[in-house]
Amino acid sequence: MTLLSPCDYHVVREYLRAVDANVLFAYSVVNHDIEGKIFVDDCHTPTVFYIVHPYGMALLLGNTEQKEFNNVLKNYLSNHLNQRTRPEWLQVYPRTWEVTLNELLNKQLCFDNVNQHAISVLERLNFEFSSEKYYLQKETIDLEGNTLQRTDKSLYEKISGSVIPSRFWNNYSDFERFGVGFSLVDTKGTPLSTAFCSFIYDGQLELGIETDPRYLGKGYAYVVCSALIDYCLGNKLIPVWACSSLNSGSQKLAQKLGFSIIRKRPYYQLPNS
């Protein structure tokens, strides 16, 4: 596994076009929207790509039969040499990689549940948006004196949690130029919930959402997501949603917003120890 020079990331696009699942995070790395990494089997004539977004999402793509690459990959995934300092969530294409990884990792795989010390094989859901369903189901939520507003620099810097804009964009300048977000804020200007563009490519905008745990269950996530979806519809963008099958809250919210599951794919949760 050799690092590909960022000036050569364009060679990956041909391979990405064949992927039949939502991998906008990989495009964000390839298009230099964020500073990720791409490992390959050979820098001059690559046929295998391991794309890592700094948030931790990864995509293994290409030729499954490069034995030398696969041997190094096995150590990387198992983290025997401590190459990874944090978890990763790995998707693969083509699906023959599933067979290859089963052979490489064998008893290291843990199916259908999260094991912090093993590689967990879980399920990722891709959704399809229906504007008709969205408008038919659209709700009005009591904001309880809070205010909905576009996510500006001040809010960008205040938002805390796991799924936040600063973990998906290099800086606010890039977010302001290429992305967008909407936040529900209280009277003190504190963000309670934010929906934002985590990835955008080819007319598709993937939603990221973060809500202050103290305000869960109030419908605030619905409010900010609805604002972002309205922005998409007004700008001829397709809203995109994906989540783990273990995230029942995300699934329920997606369905309330007019999304339906269209695809299920396994993914590998890689521990950092």
Side-chain angles (χ1 to χ4, degrees), residues 37-256:
K37 295 180 179 179
I38 301 179
F39 298 93
V40 295
D41 55 332
D42 183 281
C43 285
H44 301 292
T45 55
T47 63
V48 192
F49 306 88
Y50 191 100
I51 307 167
V52 187
H53 188 282
Y55 185 76
M57 291 165 291
L59 175 66
L60 176 60
L61 176 67
N63 187 355
T64 64
E65 299 179 358
Q66 294 283 27
K67 291 185 178 180
E68 184 175 345
F69 178 92
N70 289 353
N71 288 334
V72 179
L73 175 68
K74 177 180 179 180
N75 288 328
Y76 179 87
L77 299 180
S78 304
N79 210 26
H80 287 159
L81 303 177
N82 296 315
Q83 301 101 315
R84 291 183 291 100
T85 57
R86 58 184 177 181
E88 286 180 12
W89 299 272
L90 173 66
Q91 298 180 66
V92 299
Y93 185 86
R95 297 196 64 176
T96 47
W97 270 113
E98 296 169 33
V99 177
T100 301
L101 293 186
N102 286 347
E103 293 172 350
L104 284 176
L105 300 169
N106 200 359
K107 295 181 179 180
Q108 297 181 61
L109 298 177
C110 175
F111 290 85
D112 299 326
N113 61 77
V114 178
N115 186 321
Q116 294 181 349
H117 304 292
I119 299 173
S120 300
V121 184
L122 305 171
E123 187 175 59
R124 186 163 180 80
L125 309 178
N126 287 188
F127 292 78
E128 183 176 58
F129 178 73
S130 165
S131 58
E132 292 80 8
K133 185 178 177 182
Y134 169 66
Y135 286 124
L136 183 65
Q137 299 178 166
K138 198 167 185 180
E139 300 178 9
T140 299
I141 305 293
D142 183 4
L143 301 186
E144 300 179 328
N146 302 305
T147 305
L148 179 67
Q149 65 183 65
R150 185 93 170 239
T151 307
D152 58 14
K153 185 175 182 180
S154 174
L155 288 171
Y156 178 92
E157 294 172 347
K158 286 180 182 178
I159 300 166
S160 61
S162 175
V163 185
I164 60 178
S166 61
R167 298 191 67 182
F168 291 82
W169 295 88
N170 290 322
N171 48 56
Y172 176 73
S173 178
D174 284 356
F175 174 73
E176 181 183 37
R177 184 178 177 186
F178 302 110
V180 62
F182 292 91
S183 298
L184 189 66
V185 301
D186 64 14
T187 55
K188 297 180 180 179
T190 303
L192 309 180
S193 186
T194 297
F196 64 97
C197 166
S198 53
F199 315 112
I200 185 167
Y201 178 72
D202 196 27
Q204 300 178 83
L205 184 153
E206 185 165 349
L207 285 77
I209 310 101
E210 184 68 32
T211 300
D212 185 319
R214 295 172 296 178
Y215 298 94
L216 294 173
K218 291 180 171 289
Y220 291 173
Y222 178 90
V223 170
V224 292
C225 287
S226 183
L228 185 51
I229 288 172
D230 288 342
Y231 173 89
C232 289
L233 296 176
N235 289 274
K236 298 182 180 179
L237 295 168
I238 300 172
V240 175
W241 195 289
C243 69
S244 167
S245 63
L246 299 178
N247 192 339
S248 59
S250 182
Q251 292 180 58
K252 290 178 182 177
L253 179 57
Q255 290 162 352
K256 285 181 65 176

